[in-house]
Amino acid sequence: MNRTIESMWKEGFANDAHLTVPKINDLYNRKSQNIVDKLQSMFAVNIKAIMLGGFIALVVMSLIGAPLLGVYINCLLLPLILIAKKELNKSFKLSKGQSSYDYLTSFNHWLKHSIEVYARYYKIAYPMLVLGMAVQGMYSQAGGKIIALLAEKFPTDITLFGQPFYIITAVVLITAIVAKFADALYRFDLNIIYGQQFKKLAELIADMEELRK
């Protein structure tokens, strides 16, 4: 009763004459390629989704009378698209003329480096997006009405950029908070989309490392 599923699984490999080493290697070769192909396909779809999202944002912002914000959002998305394409191309250049384990570890190393590259950009992009939306809001017709009501309720002679100082202070504080947690926010979004595949990749590498012992 103390035998674990893992130990019985390994024993099954050892005792089953049909499960030869070449067959086991072929199994892991196919599993390795499947997980890599799946992730690369998801990354490629994500790039297209970003491009489509930028176009939709431009159309929507134009329809509500904020075309400059739409252009601004696309300016933030353009570097992200270029980074994404460059990083994805790197993954296709990884050498496949090596063992499945070496190929997977190379892919995993590329993946971690790629995530760090994205994280550095999002630390800039997220606060810049918040700042752009805040500026658009302040100088829009609807935003102007809200600020006028706030100025009436909380009058002050101190203004910054033509706005009550507390409005600008609030924008700066919110932008700073977003900048501080941009990395965590990006990784949270990343885990929602790719978390399951990342887990499969880690488990596959762990299984192969166990069998190599």
Side-chain angles (χ1 to χ4, degrees), residues 157-177:
D157 293 330
I158 305 175
T159 60
L160 295 171
F161 304 105
Q163 304 292 343
F165 79 95
Y166 48 79
I167 298 293
I168 302 300
T169 301
V171 169
V172 171
L173 285 175
I174 293 172
T175 303
I177 292 172

Side-chain angles (χ1 to χ4, degrees), residues 76 121-131 178-179 181-183 185-186 189:
L76 290 177
Y121 180 71
Y122 276 107
K123 287 179 182 179
I124 299 173
Y126 277 147
M128 291 295 291
L129 176 60
V130 171
L131 185 60
V178 171
F181 294 101
D183 184 88
L185 181 60
Y186 161 66
D189 290 340

Side-chain angles (χ1 to χ4, degrees), residues 50 72-84 114-129 182-183 186:
I50 294 173
Y72 179 79
I73 291 174
N74 276 268
C75 287
L76 290 177
L77 292 178
L78 180 59
L80 180 60
I81 293 171
L82 296 177
I83 291 172
S114 181
I115 290 174
E116 292 301 322
V117 171
Y118 284 118
R120 286 196 293 270
Y121 180 71
Y122 276 107
K123 287 179 182 179
I124 299 173
Y126 277 147
M128 291 295 291
L129 176 60
D183 184 88
Y186 161 66

Side-chain angles (χ1 to χ4, degrees), residues 11-165:
E11 186 178 319
F13 270 149
N15 294 335
D16 194 331
H18 296 290
L19 290 177
T20 60
V21 171
K23 288 183 178 180
I24 296 173
N25 286 338
D26 182 61
L27 171 64
Y28 276 99
N29 283 338
R30 284 185 281 112
K31 289 181 69 176
S32 300
Q33 194 58 56
N34 285 342
I35 188 65
V36 170
D37 288 346
K38 178 68 173 180
L39 282 169
Q40 288 176 328
S41 176
M42 291 178 71
F43 295 149
V45 170
N46 187 58
I47 293 174
K48 294 178 181 178
I50 294 173
M51 296 172 67
L52 178 61
F55 174 75
I56 293 175
L58 181 59
V59 172
V60 172
M61 292 299 108
S62 297
L63 291 176
I64 64 175
L68 291 180
L69 180 58
V71 173
Y72 179 79
I73 291 174
N74 276 268
C75 287
L76 290 177
L77 292 178
L78 180 59
L80 180 60
I81 293 171
L82 296 177
I83 291 172
K85 287 186 176 181
K86 180 179 179 181
E87 289 300 314
L88 184 57
N89 286 336
K90 288 181 181 179
S91 75
F92 287 114
K93 293 179 181 179
L94 295 174
S95 175
K96 296 183 179 180
Q98 50 188 334
S99 69
S100 295
Y101 174 75
D102 290 335
Y103 177 58
L104 270 189
T105 52
S106 295
F107 183 82
N108 194 46
H109 177 74
W110 163 83
L111 181 61
K112 291 180 178 179
H113 176 267
S114 181
I115 290 174
E116 292 301 322
V117 171
Y118 284 118
R120 286 196 293 270
Y121 180 71
Y122 276 107
K123 287 179 182 179
I124 299 173
Y126 277 147
M128 291 295 291
L129 176 60
V130 171
L131 185 60
M133 294 176 67
V135 171
Q136 174 64 45
M138 285 190 296
Y139 292 98
S140 66
Q141 184 175 1
K145 292 180 179 179
I146 294 174
I147 292 174
L149 290 174
L150 289 172
E152 182 178 347
K153 190 171 184 64
F154 305 103
T156 179
D157 293 330
I158 305 175
T159 60
L160 295 171
F161 304 105
Q163 304 292 343
F165 79 95

